[in-house]
mmCIF file of all heavy atoms in Angstrom:
data_model
loop_
_atom_site.group_PDB
_atom_site.id
_atom_site.type_symbol
_atom_site.label_atom_id
_atom_site.label_comp_id
_atom_site.label_asym_id
_atom_site.label_seq_id
_atom_site.Cartn_x
_atom_site.Cartn_y
_atom_site.Cartn_z
ATOM 1 N N TYR N 23 68.353 188.370 61.724
ATOM 2 C CA TYR N 23 68.569 187.721 60.433
ATOM 3 C C TYR N 23 69.390 186.463 60.700
ATOM 4 O O TYR N 23 70.522 186.533 61.170
ATOM 5 C CB TYR N 23 69.330 188.688 59.528
ATOM 6 C CG TYR N 23 69.317 188.410 58.046
ATOM 7 C CD1 TYR N 23 69.411 189.471 57.139
ATOM 8 C CD2 TYR N 23 69.245 187.128 57.534
ATOM 9 C CE1 TYR N 23 69.423 189.259 55.767
ATOM 10 C CE2 TYR N 23 69.254 186.902 56.169
ATOM 11 C CZ TYR N 23 69.349 187.973 55.288
ATOM 12 O OH TYR N 23 69.365 187.747 53.939
ATOM 13 N N LYS N 24 68.844 185.298 60.392
ATOM 14 C CA LYS N 24 69.548 184.051 60.675
ATOM 15 C C LYS N 24 70.589 183.762 59.602
ATOM 16 O O LYS N 24 70.370 184.036 58.420
ATOM 17 C CB LYS N 24 68.560 182.891 60.792
ATOM 18 C CG LYS N 24 67.707 182.974 62.048
ATOM 19 C CD LYS N 24 66.907 181.705 62.263
ATOM 20 C CE LYS N 24 66.131 181.786 63.580
ATOM 21 N NZ LYS N 24 65.350 180.550 63.837
ATOM 22 N N ALA N 25 71.700 183.222 60.055
ATOM 23 C CA ALA N 25 72.807 182.920 59.158
ATOM 24 C C ALA N 25 72.413 181.801 58.205
ATOM 25 O O ALA N 25 71.979 180.730 58.630
ATOM 26 C CB ALA N 25 74.046 182.524 59.956
ATOM 27 N N THR N 26 72.561 182.073 56.935
ATOM 28 C CA THR N 26 72.336 181.057 55.914
ATOM 29 C C THR N 26 73.673 180.725 55.275
ATOM 30 O O THR N 26 74.489 181.605 55.020
ATOM 31 C CB THR N 26 71.362 181.555 54.843
ATOM 32 O OG1 THR N 26 71.862 182.785 54.293
ATOM 33 C CG2 THR N 26 69.990 181.811 55.437
ATOM 34 N N GLY N 27 73.911 179.447 55.014
ATOM 35 C CA GLY N 27 75.207 179.065 54.476
ATOM 36 C C GLY N 27 76.257 179.060 55.568
ATOM 37 O O GLY N 27 75.968 178.993 56.759
ATOM 38 N N GLY N 28 77.505 179.157 55.171
ATOM 39 C CA GLY N 28 78.606 179.111 56.132
ATOM 40 C C GLY N 28 78.965 177.677 56.472
ATOM 41 O O GLY N 28 78.272 176.728 56.109
ATOM 42 N N SER N 29 80.076 177.530 57.169
ATOM 43 C CA SER N 29 80.552 176.211 57.589
ATOM 44 C C SER N 29 80.959 176.300 59.046
ATOM 45 O O SER N 29 81.911 176.988 59.394
ATOM 46 C CB SER N 29 81.744 175.769 56.726
ATOM 47 O OG SER N 29 82.267 174.534 57.166
ATOM 48 N N CYS N 30 80.215 175.608 59.914
ATOM 49 C CA CYS N 30 80.439 175.698 61.349
ATOM 50 C C CYS N 30 80.915 174.369 61.932
ATOM 51 O O CYS N 30 80.625 174.044 63.085
ATOM 52 C CB CYS N 30 79.173 176.169 62.055
ATOM 53 S SG CYS N 30 78.708 177.864 61.647
ATOM 54 N N GLY N 31 81.628 173.593 61.151
ATOM 55 C CA GLY N 31 82.188 172.350 61.666
ATOM 56 C C GLY N 31 83.442 172.615 62.479
ATOM 57 O O GLY N 31 83.699 173.726 62.948
ATOM 58 N N GLY N 32 84.261 171.576 62.649
ATOM 59 C CA GLY N 32 85.501 171.737 63.400
ATOM 60 C C GLY N 32 86.441 172.710 62.719
ATOM 61 O O GLY N 32 86.410 172.903 61.501
ATOM 62 N N CYS N 33 87.285 173.344 63.514
ATOM 63 C CA CYS N 33 88.203 174.354 62.984
ATOM 64 C C CYS N 33 89.620 174.060 63.451
ATOM 65 O O CYS N 33 89.916 174.104 64.648
ATOM 66 C CB CYS N 33 87.779 175.746 63.444
ATOM 67 S SG CYS N 33 88.968 177.034 62.992
ATOM 68 N N SER N 34 90.502 173.764 62.521
ATOM 69 C CA SER N 34 91.909 173.588 62.847
ATOM 70 C C SER N 34 92.631 174.916 62.660
ATOM 71 O O SER N 34 92.409 175.620 61.669
ATOM 72 C CB SER N 34 92.540 172.523 61.939
ATOM 73 O OG SER N 34 93.954 172.515 62.095
ATOM 74 N N TYR N 35 93.489 175.253 63.616
ATOM 75 C CA TYR N 35 94.249 176.501 63.488
ATOM 76 C C TYR N 35 95.266 176.404 62.353
ATOM 77 O O TYR N 35 95.704 177.424 61.817
ATOM 78 C CB TYR N 35 95.002 176.806 64.797
ATOM 79 C CG TYR N 35 96.213 175.922 65.016
ATOM 80 C CD1 TYR N 35 97.447 176.248 64.483
ATOM 81 C CD2 TYR N 35 96.098 174.737 65.740
ATOM 82 C CE1 TYR N 35 98.554 175.418 64.673
ATOM 83 C CE2 TYR N 35 97.182 173.913 65.936
ATOM 84 C CZ TYR N 35 98.409 174.254 65.402
ATOM 85 O OH TYR N 35 99.497 173.440 65.574
ATOM 86 N N ALA N 36 95.673 175.174 61.985
ATOM 87 C CA ALA N 36 96.759 174.979 61.028
ATOM 88 C C ALA N 36 96.276 175.191 59.601
ATOM 89 O O ALA N 36 95.164 174.817 59.247
ATOM 90 C CB ALA N 36 97.356 173.583 61.184
ATOM 91 N N GLY N 37 97.120 175.782 58.797
ATOM 92 C CA GLY N 37 96.782 176.050 57.411
ATOM 93 C C GLY N 37 96.307 177.476 57.210
ATOM 94 O O GLY N 37 95.916 178.164 58.150
ATOM 95 N N THR N 38 96.356 177.913 55.971
ATOM 96 C CA THR N 38 96.047 179.300 55.648
ATOM 97 C C THR N 38 94.619 179.659 56.054
ATOM 98 O O THR N 38 93.665 178.951 55.723
ATOM 99 C CB THR N 38 96.242 179.546 54.140
ATOM 100 O OG1 THR N 38 97.580 179.210 53.789
ATOM 101 C CG2 THR N 38 95.967 180.998 53.790
ATOM 102 N N TYR N 39 94.498 180.771 56.749
ATOM 103 C CA TYR N 39 93.197 181.208 57.264
ATOM 104 C C TYR N 39 92.493 182.092 56.234
ATOM 105 O O TYR N 39 93.109 182.863 55.499
ATOM 106 C CB TYR N 39 93.388 181.995 58.558
ATOM 107 C CG TYR N 39 92.098 182.561 59.117
ATOM 108 C CD1 TYR N 39 91.213 181.750 59.826
ATOM 109 C CD2 TYR N 39 91.741 183.890 58.910
ATOM 110 C CE1 TYR N 39 90.011 182.254 60.317
ATOM 111 C CE2 TYR N 39 90.553 184.399 59.402
ATOM 112 C CZ TYR N 39 89.699 183.576 60.100
ATOM 113 O OH TYR N 39 88.516 184.075 60.578
ATOM 114 N N SER N 40 91.163 181.993 56.195
ATOM 115 C CA SER N 40 90.305 182.939 55.479
ATOM 116 C C SER N 40 89.089 183.206 56.354
ATOM 117 O O SER N 40 88.817 182.466 57.308
ATOM 118 C CB SER N 40 89.870 182.382 54.121
ATOM 119 O OG SER N 40 88.928 181.337 54.292
ATOM 120 N N GLU N 41 88.326 184.236 56.012
ATOM 121 C CA GLU N 41 87.208 184.644 56.869
ATOM 122 C C GLU N 41 86.089 183.614 56.929
ATOM 123 O O GLU N 41 85.231 183.686 57.809
ATOM 124 C CB GLU N 41 86.649 185.995 56.410
ATOM 125 C CG GLU N 41 86.046 186.016 55.031
ATOM 126 C CD GLU N 41 87.053 186.321 53.932
ATOM 127 O OE1 GLU N 41 88.270 186.128 54.170
ATOM 128 O OE2 GLU N 41 86.620 186.740 52.849
ATOM 129 N N THR N 42 86.090 182.649 56.018
ATOM 130 C CA THR N 42 85.052 181.620 56.036
ATOM 131 C C THR N 42 85.531 180.311 56.651
ATOM 132 O O THR N 42 84.768 179.339 56.681
ATOM 133 C CB THR N 42 84.553 181.344 54.597
ATOM 134 O OG1 THR N 42 85.660 180.897 53.796
ATOM 135 C CG2 THR N 42 83.954 182.604 53.977
ATOM 136 N N LYS N 43 86.757 180.277 57.144
ATOM 137 C CA LYS N 43 87.323 179.009 57.612
ATOM 138 C C LYS N 43 86.772 178.574 58.964
ATOM 139 O O LYS N 43 86.438 177.398 59.156
ATOM 140 C CB LYS N 43 88.853 179.112 57.679
ATOM 141 C CG LYS N 43 89.535 177.819 58.121
ATOM 142 C CD LYS N 43 91.043 177.976 58.195
ATOM 143 C CE LYS N 43 91.693 176.677 58.658
ATOM 144 N NZ LYS N 43 93.156 176.809 58.810
ATOM 145 N N CYS N 44 86.714 179.465 59.923
ATOM 146 C CA CYS N 44 86.320 179.119 61.293
ATOM 147 C C CYS N 44 85.115 179.974 61.681
ATOM 148 O O CYS N 44 85.271 181.171 61.966
ATOM 149 C CB CYS N 44 87.476 179.352 62.269
ATOM 150 S SG CYS N 44 88.939 178.346 61.917
ATOM 151 N N GLN N 45 83.940 179.366 61.691
ATOM 152 C CA GLN N 45 82.715 180.115 61.936
ATOM 153 C C GLN N 45 81.856 179.424 62.983
ATOM 154 O O GLN N 45 81.943 178.214 63.183
ATOM 155 C CB GLN N 45 81.908 180.246 60.632
ATOM 156 C CG GLN N 45 82.625 181.004 59.531
ATOM 157 C CD GLN N 45 81.820 181.023 58.244
ATOM 158 O OE1 GLN N 45 81.286 180.014 57.809
ATOM 159 N NE2 GLN N 45 81.729 182.190 57.621
ATOM 160 N N THR N 46 81.029 180.226 63.646
ATOM 161 C CA THR N 46 80.021 179.707 64.565
ATOM 162 C C THR N 46 78.683 180.362 64.244
ATOM 163 O O THR N 46 78.626 181.375 63.547
ATOM 164 C CB THR N 46 80.385 179.996 66.036
ATOM 165 O OG1 THR N 46 80.476 181.421 66.224
ATOM 166 C CG2 THR N 46 81.706 179.350 66.421
ATOM 167 N N GLY N 47 77.612 179.769 64.766
ATOM 168 C CA GLY N 47 76.292 180.369 64.627
ATOM 169 C C GLY N 47 75.581 180.067 63.336
ATOM 170 O O GLY N 47 74.618 180.775 62.995
ATOM 171 N N CYS N 48 75.998 179.034 62.598
ATOM 172 C CA CYS N 48 75.278 178.695 61.372
ATOM 173 C C CYS N 48 73.828 178.354 61.707
ATOM 174 O O CYS N 48 73.555 177.579 62.627
ATOM 175 C CB CYS N 48 75.950 177.509 60.683
ATOM 176 S SG CYS N 48 77.607 177.856 60.058
ATOM 177 N N GLY N 49 72.894 178.954 60.988
ATOM 178 C CA GLY N 49 71.481 178.725 61.235
ATOM 179 C C GLY N 49 70.910 179.501 62.393
ATOM 180 O O GLY N 49 69.714 179.405 62.686
ATOM 181 N N ASP N 50 71.738 180.293 63.065
ATOM 182 C CA ASP N 50 71.285 181.076 64.211
ATOM 183 C C ASP N 50 71.287 182.555 63.842
ATOM 184 O O ASP N 50 71.773 182.957 62.780
ATOM 185 C CB ASP N 50 72.205 180.816 65.407
ATOM 186 C CG ASP N 50 71.534 181.145 66.747
ATOM 187 O OD1 ASP N 50 70.411 181.666 66.722
ATOM 188 O OD2 ASP N 50 72.155 180.880 67.795
ATOM 189 N N VAL N 51 70.764 183.384 64.741
ATOM 190 C CA VAL N 51 70.752 184.829 64.526
ATOM 191 C C VAL N 51 72.193 185.346 64.454
ATOM 192 O O VAL N 51 73.009 185.036 65.321
ATOM 193 C CB VAL N 51 69.984 185.529 65.664
ATOM 194 C CG1 VAL N 51 70.097 187.031 65.548
ATOM 195 C CG2 VAL N 51 68.522 185.097 65.648
ATOM 196 N N SER N 52 72.487 186.131 63.418
ATOM 197 C CA SER N 52 73.855 186.617 63.230
ATOM 198 C C SER N 52 74.320 187.464 64.409
ATOM 199 O O SER N 52 75.465 187.342 64.858
ATOM 200 C CB SER N 52 73.965 187.423 61.938
ATOM 201 O OG SER N 52 73.657 186.624 60.820
ATOM 202 N N GLN N 53 73.484 188.366 64.890
ATOM 203 C CA GLN N 53 73.806 189.162 66.074
ATOM 204 C C GLN N 53 72.621 189.141 67.021
ATOM 205 O O GLN N 53 71.520 189.583 66.659
ATOM 206 C CB GLN N 53 74.163 190.606 65.721
ATOM 207 C CG GLN N 53 74.558 191.409 66.966
ATOM 208 C CD GLN N 53 74.998 192.833 66.673
ATOM 209 O OE1 GLN N 53 75.225 193.208 65.527
ATOM 210 N NE2 GLN N 53 75.115 193.637 67.716
ATOM 211 N N ARG N 54 72.863 188.662 68.213
ATOM 212 C CA ARG N 54 71.806 188.555 69.223
ATOM 213 C C ARG N 54 71.867 189.701 70.223
ATOM 214 O O ARG N 54 70.833 190.221 70.644
ATOM 215 C CB ARG N 54 71.939 187.230 69.958
ATOM 216 C CG ARG N 54 70.947 187.040 71.092
ATOM 217 C CD ARG N 54 71.032 185.655 71.700
ATOM 218 N NE ARG N 54 70.069 185.477 72.779
ATOM 219 C CZ ARG N 54 69.851 184.333 73.415
ATOM 220 N NH1 ARG N 54 70.550 183.251 73.074
ATOM 221 N NH2 ARG N 54 68.941 184.262 74.385
ATOM 222 N N TYR N 55 73.085 190.108 70.619
ATOM 223 C CA TYR N 55 73.255 191.084 71.693
ATOM 224 C C TYR N 55 73.753 192.422 71.146
ATOM 225 O O TYR N 55 74.605 192.461 70.250
ATOM 226 C CB TYR N 55 74.247 190.561 72.738
ATOM 227 C CG TYR N 55 73.805 189.259 73.382
ATOM 228 C CD1 TYR N 55 74.396 188.047 73.035
ATOM 229 C CD2 TYR N 55 72.779 189.245 74.328
ATOM 230 C CE1 TYR N 55 73.989 186.852 73.620
ATOM 231 C CE2 TYR N 55 72.365 188.056 74.914
ATOM 232 C CZ TYR N 55 72.974 186.863 74.550
ATOM 233 O OH TYR N 55 72.558 185.689 75.120
ATOM 234 N N TYR N 56 73.248 193.514 71.737
ATOM 235 C CA TYR N 56 73.568 194.866 71.291
ATOM 236 C C TYR N 56 74.064 195.684 72.477
ATOM 237 O O TYR N 56 73.361 195.858 73.480
ATOM 238 C CB TYR N 56 72.336 195.501 70.632
ATOM 239 C CG TYR N 56 71.985 194.791 69.348
ATOM 240 C CD1 TYR N 56 71.282 193.586 69.368
ATOM 241 C CD2 TYR N 56 72.419 195.279 68.117
ATOM 242 C CE1 TYR N 56 70.994 192.902 68.195
ATOM 243 C CE2 TYR N 56 72.135 194.600 66.940
ATOM 244 C CZ TYR N 56 71.427 193.417 66.979
ATOM 245 O OH TYR N 56 71.160 192.739 65.816
ATOM 246 N N HIS N 57 75.283 196.195 72.337
ATOM 247 C CA HIS N 57 75.982 196.873 73.428
ATOM 248 C C HIS N 57 75.294 198.187 73.801
ATOM 249 O O HIS N 57 74.988 199.013 72.935
ATOM 250 C CB HIS N 57 77.420 197.136 72.983
ATOM 251 C CG HIS N 57 78.288 197.726 74.035
ATOM 252 N ND1 HIS N 57 79.473 198.384 73.748
ATOM 253 C CD2 HIS N 57 78.172 197.757 75.386
ATOM 254 C CE1 HIS N 57 80.026 198.789 74.876
ATOM 255 N NE2 HIS N 57 79.256 198.429 75.880
ATOM 256 N N VAL N 58 75.071 198.367 75.106
ATOM 257 C CA VAL N 58 74.537 199.619 75.653
ATOM 258 C C VAL N 58 75.586 200.151 76.633
ATOM 259 O O VAL N 58 75.701 199.649 77.758
ATOM 260 C CB VAL N 58 73.200 199.408 76.385
ATOM 261 C CG1 VAL N 58 72.671 200.741 76.918
ATOM 262 C CG2 VAL N 58 72.179 198.751 75.463
ATOM 263 N N PRO N 59 76.384 201.142 76.247
ATOM 264 C CA PRO N 59 77.431 201.645 77.150
ATOM 265 C C PRO N 59 76.840 202.137 78.471
ATOM 266 O O PRO N 59 75.814 202.823 78.495
ATOM 267 C CB PRO N 59 78.051 202.801 76.358
ATOM 268 C CG PRO N 59 77.765 202.470 74.927
ATOM 269 C CD PRO N 59 76.427 201.804 74.938
ATOM 270 N N ARG N 60 77.506 201.794 79.561
ATOM 271 C CA ARG N 60 77.025 202.259 80.875
ATOM 272 C C ARG N 60 77.054 203.770 80.999
ATOM 273 O O ARG N 60 76.298 204.350 81.780
ATOM 274 C CB ARG N 60 77.854 201.610 81.984
ATOM 275 C CG ARG N 60 77.374 200.204 82.343
ATOM 276 C CD ARG N 60 77.905 199.779 83.702
ATOM 277 N NE ARG N 60 77.393 198.471 84.101
ATOM 278 C CZ ARG N 60 76.352 198.282 84.894
ATOM 279 N NH1 ARG N 60 75.693 199.324 85.370
ATOM 280 N NH2 ARG N 60 75.964 197.059 85.223
ATOM 281 N N SER N 61 77.916 204.429 80.223
ATOM 282 C CA SER N 61 77.977 205.891 80.289
ATOM 283 C C SER N 61 76.688 206.527 79.791
ATOM 284 O O SER N 61 76.434 207.711 80.046
ATOM 285 C CB SER N 61 79.164 206.407 79.474
ATOM 286 O OG SER N 61 79.046 206.024 78.111
ATOM 287 N N TRP N 62 75.859 205.769 79.084
ATOM 288 C CA TRP N 62 74.576 206.285 78.609
ATOM 289 C C TRP N 62 73.458 206.122 79.640
ATOM 290 O O TRP N 62 72.363 206.646 79.455
ATOM 291 C CB TRP N 62 74.147 205.545 77.338
ATOM 292 C CG TRP N 62 75.011 205.799 76.147
ATOM 293 C CD1 TRP N 62 76.107 206.615 76.063
ATOM 294 C CD2 TRP N 62 74.847 205.225 74.844
ATOM 295 N NE1 TRP N 62 76.637 206.587 74.798
ATOM 296 C CE2 TRP N 62 75.897 205.746 74.026
ATOM 297 C CE3 TRP N 62 73.941 204.338 74.293
ATOM 298 C CZ2 TRP N 62 76.030 205.390 72.687
ATOM 299 C CZ3 TRP N 62 74.069 203.983 72.963
ATOM 300 C CH2 TRP N 62 75.111 204.500 72.167
ATOM 301 N N LEU N 63 73.718 205.392 80.710
ATOM 302 C CA LEU N 63 72.657 205.003 81.633
ATOM 303 C C LEU N 63 72.612 205.875 82.879
ATOM 304 O O LEU N 63 73.648 206.321 83.381
ATOM 305 C CB LEU N 63 72.836 203.538 82.045
ATOM 306 C CG LEU N 63 72.780 202.496 80.924
ATOM 307 C CD1 LEU N 63 72.960 201.097 81.502
ATOM 308 C CD2 LEU N 63 71.472 202.602 80.145
ATOM 309 N N ASN N 64 71.407 206.078 83.371
ATOM 310 C CA ASN N 64 71.171 206.641 84.696
ATOM 311 C C ASN N 64 70.877 205.486 85.649
ATOM 312 O O ASN N 64 70.538 204.380 85.214
ATOM 313 C CB ASN N 64 69.966 207.592 84.660
ATOM 314 C CG ASN N 64 70.139 208.688 83.628
ATOM 315 O OD1 ASN N 64 71.185 209.312 83.552
ATOM 316 N ND2 ASN N 64 69.101 208.909 82.819
#
């Protein structure tokens, strides 16, 4: 599912943070990689 919306411009650490302040991957797949624990593998 590709990210729609969001703001992926520059991100300053200064100033009050919110979950929409510093983002990456706008227009890209929200999650590309899926963890496979080695303990599950032969």
Side-chain angles (χ1 to χ4, degrees):
Y23 197 150
K24 290 190 176 181
T26 55
S29 177
C30 294
C33 173
S34 170
Y35 74 86
T38 303
Y39 176 79
S40 72
E41 64 272 21
T42 60
K43 182 181 179 183
C44 299
Q45 298 176 315
T46 60
C48 294
D50 202 355
V51 173
S52 298
Q53 183 177 348
R54 176 174 181 174
Y55 300 105
Y56 293 80
H57 185 199
V58 181
R60 277 198 177 263
S61 60
W62 293 359
L63 299 181
N64 304 313

